[in-house]
Amino acid sequence: MGMIAIVLSISWTIAAIKYGDRDWRKYYPSMLFSALGNALYEILCYKFQLWQMEPNGLGFTIIPMLLLILVGMPLSTWVFLSKYPYNSGIYNKGIYVLIFILLFIALEFISVKLGAITYHHGWNLGWSLSFVTVMFMVIRLHYTKPILALIISLPFTLILCMIFEVTLDKMK
């Protein structure tokens, strides 16, 4: 995801500057939550990745990985939470979340087609769609109820580990 990771990092930076609430500190815990979730996947599943970012022109896989962890996830979370329609009805909230889900899936689809992301061990774009859907709901929940979001994240993680047979011996 090399060069693509750079383009996406620049794009999320511009989006955060343009659309992010200036009071970014109130979103900071959720920004860290999303970054930490991604970092934990990269560390724990280093030897058994379901999806993998490829160097794609940068020489080292660690560069796109770090750009996603340190730039992409926190800034996209900031933008997502900054413009979330908190005072709207369920329909508007659903449409808003759907827009972010489709955006993430479109970016991933492009990344896969360009060889910047590869799938392994049965993972595919359909699984990513399910994952991103849950991810955005949990990020939104984390903003107002962080402990509940952490509690809900655990069973989803365990279910994915069981489905894809990500066992302790396969982890780093």
Side-chain angles (χ1 to χ4, degrees):
M1 195 161 152
M3 299 314 260
I4 293 170
I6 291 171
V7 170
L8 290 175
S9 294
I10 292 169
S11 299
W12 281 117
T13 301
I14 292 168
I17 290 168
K18 185 170 180 166
Y19 300 110
D21 183 340
R22 294 304 107 206
D23 188 12
W24 61 270
R25 286 172 184 83
K26 64 185 176 184
Y27 307 109
Y28 190 64
S30 297
M31 293 163 63
L32 289 178
F33 173 73
S34 66
L36 179 62
N38 189 260
L40 283 173
Y41 164 75
E42 294 292 351
I43 292 167
L44 294 176
C45 294
Y46 179 78
K47 291 184 177 181
F48 192 80
Q49 296 212 320
L50 301 175
W51 64 91
Q52 181 175 334
M53 292 178 286
E54 302 296 338
N56 199 247
L58 289 179
F60 301 98
T61 304
I62 192 75
I63 297 170
M65 195 184 308
L66 286 174
L67 286 172
L68 180 61
I69 293 167
L70 300 174
V71 179
M73 287 310 300
L75 294 185
S76 61
T77 298
W78 180 20
V79 172
F80 172 70
L81 293 174
S82 289
K83 295 299 178 186
Y84 187 86
Y86 296 99
N87 297 320
S88 294
I90 189 104
Y91 177 79
N92 287 338
K93 291 175 181 176
I95 294 297
Y96 182 82
V97 173
L98 181 62
I99 289 168
F100 267 83
I101 291 168
L102 294 176
L103 173 64
F104 262 57
I105 291 303
L107 293 173
E108 183 168 326
F109 177 79
I110 292 166
S111 296
V112 168
K113 290 299 177 191
L114 295 175
I117 294 176
T118 54
Y119 296 139
H120 308 277
H121 309 291
W123 193 265
N124 57 45
L125 195 62
W127 281 107
S128 287
L129 176 62
S130 298
F131 179 83
V132 169
T133 300
V134 172
M135 179 187 82
F136 277 112
M137 290 189 293
V138 171
I139 287 172
R140 171 57 189 96
L141 180 62
H142 185 273
Y143 178 63
T144 52
K145 297 178 186 197
I147 300 299
L148 182 57
L150 289 168
I151 291 168
I152 287 173
S153 295
L154 188 58
F156 280 110
T157 301
L158 293 175
I159 289 168
L160 286 174
C161 286
M162 290 187 317
I163 291 170
F164 291 97
E165 300 176 7
V166 181
T167 55
L168 290 174
D169 61 313
K170 294 177 183 171
M171 293 182 187
K172 185 171 181 173

